[in-house]
Amino acid sequence: MARLTKPESIIKPVGYCGGCGHGVIQRLIAECLEELGMADTVISVVDIACSYWSLEALDYDAIAGPHGRCAAVATGIKKVRPDKTVYVHAGDGSSYVIGLAETCYTAIRDIPITMIVVNNGIFGMTGGQLCLATTLLGDKTLSSKNGRTREQAGEPVDMLNVFKNFDVEFLARGAVYDAKHVDQTKRYIKKGFENQRDKKGFSMIEILSPCPTNWKMEPVKASDKIRTQTEKVFPLGVFADRGGEQ
Ligand SMILES: Cc1ncc(C[n+]2csc(CCOP(=O)(O)OP(=O)(O)O)c2C)c(N)n1
Ligand code: SF4
């Protein structure tokens, strides 16, 4: 019988809710870094949101950036420690709303970090408010009780379509709702770290991820929603790959 193992870097169980994608993503990050032999070179930047748990779960040098400012914090670290593998693990509210300027200018400057953005369509940690960039039209949240409307909040924005206009190294969107997509997402994350190892530019991987708690859904239904609804608005795949085939 195959022995189940976990990455050595995962040292502590933490408080992600059942069915949350953050923990899967955290594990993929650790697997990729260990498989690439880069785990000892890491400084991670997590956000003051649900990704904060990762700071406690993983045995890396790490810092929690102020909410939304992770890309700027990571830029500073990479500038003074270019020898380190610097990555961000943050949410869509952080990266695409309050911190959009920081994320944009990190991309525009082509800072050679790996940025992991967890798109769960909501502000998870603060109890489920609408996220301007990613909440789907019609979705009910704490701050859109009758469902998001265009009149109230405009339409969600595919930020990878925006970022591909900048001269960046790699942009891709994955999902974690089944084994095939977890595997694909792992390949994207690994590519993001390989780019950093090879001294290439800014890599961002967005991952569609369930928040069963604030979506008020059973985990299986939350995964189904991503497959049947979210993915239609936020298609999966590679959006930019400067070093690869277009
Ligand atoms: C400057 C600042 N503004 C707002 C907050 C409150 N706040 C903490 S987490 C969060 C949103 C979290 O949503 P997201 O970034 O999408 O991450 P998730 O928890 O869903 O992974 C907000 C608004 C804060 N801590 N600091
Ligand atoms: S609130 Fe949502 S994003 Fe945060 S840990 Fe729970 S399920 Fe995950």
Side-chain angles (χ1 to χ4, degrees):
M1 201 170 73
R3 217 174 115 248
L4 294 177
T5 57
K6 66 165 183 62
E8 280 179 18
S9 320
I10 299 178
I11 52 167
K12 194 174 156 190
V14 290
Y16 298 121
C17 311
C20 178
H22 269 290
V24 178
I25 292 161
Q26 167 189 289
R27 181 185 172 118
L28 293 180
I29 291 170
E31 285 182 7
C32 290
L33 287 165
E34 288 183 15
E35 286 166 22
L36 291 167
M38 296 168 76
D40 290 341
T41 68
V42 167
I43 300 178
S44 76
V45 183
V46 303
D47 191 62
I48 302 292
C50 289
S51 63
Y52 179 83
W53 287 116
S54 179
L55 183 142
E56 297 193 9
L58 295 176
D59 190 18
Y60 299 145
D61 287 342
I63 184 166
H67 178 56
R69 274 71 207 186
C70 292
V73 172
T75 297
I77 295 170
K78 191 69 183 176
K79 288 277 177 194
V80 295
R81 292 302 305 265
D83 54 315
K84 291 287 184 182
T85 304
V86 181
Y87 80 82
V88 171
H89 175 171
D92 44 350
S94 166
S95 310
Y96 293 162
V97 184
I98 192 168
L100 182 59
E102 283 78 0
T103 310
C104 264
Y105 278 100
T106 304
I108 289 167
R109 296 170 79 191
D110 200 20
I111 301 293
I113 61 163
T114 309
M115 179 141 183
I116 314 289
V117 178
V118 178
N119 175 352
N120 58 17
I122 209 156
F123 288 2
M125 187 192 222
T126 41
Q129 296 83 2
L130 180 148
C131 178
L132 276 176
T134 56
T135 299
L136 303 186
L137 286 175
D139 275 3
K140 293 183 179 159
T141 72
L142 204 60
S143 49
S144 61
K145 296 220 167 185
N146 296 319
R148 179 178 186 158
T149 62
R150 193 176 187 286
E151 294 68 33
Q152 176 213 21
E155 296 197 16
V157 188
D158 186 333
M159 285 295 177
L160 295 188
N161 260 336
V162 176
F163 280 66
K164 76 179 187 194
N165 294 298
F166 308 143
D167 186 14
V168 296
E169 190 64 46
F170 183 68
L171 299 172
R173 179 179 292 120
V176 288
Y177 57 73
D178 63 17
K180 179 179 149 200
H181 288 88
V182 168
D183 200 47
Q184 180 66 69
T185 299
K186 182 173 173 180
R187 280 199 287 274
Y188 292 153
I189 294 173
K190 199 174 243 185
K191 170 98 171 147
F193 287 129
E194 285 167 347
N195 287 340
Q196 196 169 162
R197 177 197 64 195
D198 298 343
K199 313 250 177 271
K200 296 182 175 176
F202 179 78
S203 298
M204 185 159 81
I205 299 95
E206 182 192 304
I207 303 161
L208 304 183
S209 174
C211 175
T213 300
N214 288 307
W215 294 2
K216 304 191 190 324
M217 282 180 189
E218 296 292 319
V220 173
K221 286 220 165 96
S223 285
D224 282 349
K225 174 181 164 65
I226 294 179
R227 189 171 45 78
T228 58
Q229 296 177 31
T230 318
E231 209 180 283
K232 296 202 164 53
V233 181
F234 297 113
L236 307 182
V238 175
F239 285 66
D241 185 4
R242 194 162 52 201
E245 292 165 24
Q246 291 292 315

